[in-house]
Amino acid sequence: MNFKDYIRVIPDFPQPGIRFKDITTLLKDGAAYRAAIDEMKRLVAHHEIELIAGPEARGFVVGAPLSYALGVGFVPIRKSGKLPGETIEADYALEYGKDKLSMHKDAIRPGQKVLIADDLLATGGTIETSINLVRQLGGQIVGAAFLIELTYLEGRRKLDGIDVVSLIQYS
Ligand SMILES: O=P(O)(O)OC[C@H]1O[C@H](OP(=O)(O)OP(=O)(O)O)[C@H](O)[C@@H]1O
Ligand SMILES: Nc1ncnc2[nH]cnc12
């Protein structure tokens, strides 16, 4: 399946100059969505994974089905002010803005092997900060998996030493 055919590119969203990769066109196609998750599962199959962590909101629509497929837990990384328990937080910047991410302090047991999952790797700001939060809680990052990678933004550079896989690349 050519997954790129299912992604819609919208120019100048959410701000001028950004070519937004819209995954809703893939998500609404049941066969394509399932095939994409199955393929991501195949790409990470060599890792020993105990938990998947993914950032709100699109990281949930990739990370949660992947965790179901692998039979492991899912931990949400949320924008600040959304999680009800005690949290740790960190500021971050992404391709078109900045925000604050948070995790529950008891989300991860020290030493747990965690795969980070998100829909898209752009500058890597979101994932770098997600990884820092997971590590702060004692989690061991075993890899990072994305549906889409914007290779021209070189987000991988921020993920030095981490096995990064992506299903679709834009260069
Ligand atoms: O590599 P980066 O430059 O950090 O950009 C990638 C991030 O940007 C998008 O999230 P966004 O903050 O737009 O939130 P959403 O998932 O709630 O739409 C996307 O889902 C990634 O998490
Ligand atoms: N170009 C882009 N399209 C969709 N989501 C993004 N997140 C960061 N950059 C993005």
Side-chain angles (χ1 to χ4, degrees):
M1 188 174 281
N2 188 357
F3 293 108
K4 217 181 230 186
D5 291 346
Y6 292 85
I7 306 296
R8 173 167 62 180
V9 181
I10 300 192
D12 300 320
F13 181 87
Q15 59 196 43
I18 303 293
R19 289 180 60 76
F20 192 87
K21 309 302 181 292
D22 179 17
I23 62 165
T24 64
T25 36
L26 180 142
L27 300 177
K28 71 180 179 180
D29 185 307
Y33 188 13
R34 174 182 272 178
I37 297 300
D38 286 347
E39 188 58 16
M40 287 184 77
K41 180 183 173 186
R42 201 184 59 76
L43 290 175
V44 300
H46 58 291
H47 288 300
E48 194 186 320
I49 299 164
E50 295 178 291
L51 211 53
I52 291 181
E56 178 181 351
R58 284 175 272 153
F60 295 1
V61 297
V62 170
L66 191 55
S67 73
Y68 179 84
L70 290 167
V72 301
F74 178 78
V75 165
I77 301 171
R78 298 217 59 181
K79 309 245 159 98
S80 183
K82 296 286 186 182
L83 289 170
E86 267 194 80
T87 59
I88 56 167
E89 301 203 333
D91 293 315
Y92 73 103
L94 71 155
E95 193 187 7
Y96 41 68
K98 53 188 171 142
D99 214 320
K100 193 176 269 201
L101 287 175
S102 66
M103 290 183 76
H104 272 146
K105 276 187 181 167
D106 62 358
I108 293 170
R109 284 195 312 277
Q112 267 190 310
K113 296 180 173 64
V114 181
L115 178 85
I116 290 275
D118 201 357
D119 70 318
L120 187 142
L121 176 65
T123 64
T126 305
I127 283 308
E128 183 185 34
T129 297
S130 298
I131 286 169
N132 288 342
L133 287 171
V134 168
R135 285 182 170 153
Q136 220 176 301
L137 295 177
Q140 183 191 329
I141 300 289
V142 297
F146 303 89
L147 201 53
I148 301 172
E149 178 177 2
L150 308 185
T151 55
Y152 53 91
L153 291 175
E154 300 186 328
R156 271 176 190 258
R157 282 180 175 223
K158 292 200 178 85
L159 311 181
D160 201 28
I162 293 171
D163 180 50
V164 178
V165 295
S166 59
L167 211 52
I168 307 164
Q169 295 82 30
Y170 290 87
S171 48

